[in-house]
């Protein structure tokens, strides 16, 4: 799978992101690093531990990474979570996290296929 095909699988605009980043090689480098970023795991842990501060920081970081890498669908669902957690309360965030987790699996699954090439 190519990096362009990876973006097609996750439903994001490769041309827009590639133009903004300026180099396919640099874009692919950062996309391949995405699964090793700890934000998603920290978000999951923060919610499980009902640690609103940890969950908020992780959700905010994940949202920013998704915006920068042009992971549009994951960004859309992850953008709501920091707002929900802004008061550092985790109650009522399960549904939003479920949507984030579903999109996260799609993105990391596509990246795994990219890695298999």
């Amino acid at each position: 799978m190519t990096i362009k095909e990876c973006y097609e699988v996750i439903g994001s605009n490769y041309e827009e992101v590639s133009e903004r980043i300026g180099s396919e090689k640099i874009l692919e480098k950062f996309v391949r690093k995405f699964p090793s970023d700890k934000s998603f795991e920290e978000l999951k842990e923060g919610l499980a531990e009902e640690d609103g501060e940890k969950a908020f920081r992780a959700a905010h970081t994940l949202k920013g990474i998704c915006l920068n890498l042009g992971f549009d669908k994951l960004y859309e669902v992850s953008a709501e979570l920091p707002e929900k957690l802004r008061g550092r309360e985790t109650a009522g965030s399960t549904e939003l996290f479920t949507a984030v987790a579903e999109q996260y699996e799609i993105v990391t699954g596509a990246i795994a296929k990219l890695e298999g090439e």
Side-chain angles (χ1 to χ4, degrees):
M1 172 182 294
T2 66
I3 187 73
K4 185 175 182 178
E5 291 169 334
C6 180
Y7 270 82
E8 289 171 4
V9 168
I10 64 174
S12 293
N13 188 331
Y14 167 79
E15 283 78 18
E16 181 181 292
V17 178
S18 180
E19 185 176 306
R20 184 169 37 84
I21 299 294
S23 165
E24 182 175 302
K25 187 175 181 178
I26 291 172
L27 175 59
E28 187 169 341
K29 174 185 171 183
F30 285 110
V31 167
R32 288 177 182 270
K33 287 183 174 190
F34 178 74
S36 65
D37 178 78
K38 302 291 184 217
S39 301
F40 181 77
E41 287 304 315
E42 289 174 1
L43 172 59
K44 188 164 50 170
E45 290 169 8
L47 293 174
E49 297 164 0
E50 297 182 3
D51 183 340
E53 179 64 32
K54 181 177 185 176
F56 172 77
R57 278 192 325 257
H60 192 269
T61 301
L62 181 63
K63 175 185 86 164
I65 293 169
C66 293
L67 179 63
N68 287 332
L69 291 176
F71 296 158
D72 300 333
K73 291 182 180 182
L74 181 53
Y75 169 75
E76 289 170 14
V77 294
S78 65
E80 296 178 48
L81 204 46
E83 294 308 312
K84 179 72 175 171
L85 296 166
R86 191 160 298 282
R88 308 316 194 255
E89 295 293 325
T90 60
S93 58
T94 304
E95 187 175 314
L96 290 174
F97 177 73
T98 300
V100 169
E102 288 172 5
Q103 285 301 315
Y104 183 84
E105 289 302 317
I106 291 169
V107 170
T108 55
I111 294 170
K113 290 179 182 172
L114 178 65
E115 291 288 333
E117 293 293 308

